Amino acid sequence: MNTKRAHASHILIPSKSQATQLTEKIQNSRKPLKEFQKMARKHSTCPSSQKGGDLGWFHDKQMVKEFSDAVWTQQIKTVGPYIKSGFGYHIIFVHERDE
């Protein structure tokens, strides 16, 4: 059984320009996680937006490949570069990982 799990949040948005703007705003914030949660509530099209983008814990195979790849390569407790999937553009914040 696969035990590779992560706890992450994301902001899902339809446009590349908006992804660029929000990523810069969050990365330049003095409190990136607070800013991330605020932006998720305001802009994300995912139902997780109500929880500040929090997706909870999940296994690597539960998410689309592009998203999973980013979650397992991105530094913990940072906002990495946005990624594109079939759903749109994702800005990801990785809280923790079990590997």
Side-chain angles (χ1 to χ4, degrees):
M1 183 156 174
N2 193 346
T3 57
K4 192 172 169 181
R5 299 182 325 140
H7 174 205
S9 295
H10 82 139
I11 301 170
L12 178 62
I13 40 189
S15 81
K16 185 177 182 176
S17 62
Q18 189 179 23
T20 301
Q21 287 177 328
L22 293 181
T23 300
E24 286 177 13
K25 186 169 185 175
I26 294 163
Q27 288 175 336
N28 293 329
S29 171
R30 295 177 77 202
K31 294 185 177 180
L33 179 56
K34 289 266 187 236
E35 187 68 22
F36 183 96
Q37 291 167 333
K38 185 171 111 183
M39 294 295 116
R41 285 186 189 94
K42 189 172 180 180
H43 299 285
S44 184
T45 60
C46 180
S48 68
S49 65
Q50 296 170 353
K51 297 183 283 182
D54 195 338
L55 296 168
W57 283 91
F58 53 87
H59 292 281
D60 62 332
K61 304 288 187 223
Q62 283 181 270
M63 302 296 178
V64 294
K65 183 178 182 342
E66 301 89 348
F67 188 89
S68 250
D69 289 350
V71 167
W72 269 273
T73 56
Q74 184 174 310
Q75 286 186 10
I76 293 176
K77 300 201 186 303
T78 63
V79 172
Y82 61 83
I83 57 123
K84 186 176 189 326
S85 78
F87 295 98
Y89 293 87
H90 304 262
I91 302 168
I92 304 168
F93 185 95
V94 181
H95 301 275
E96 300 177 73
R97 282 192 295 257
D98 287 346
E99 298 187 50

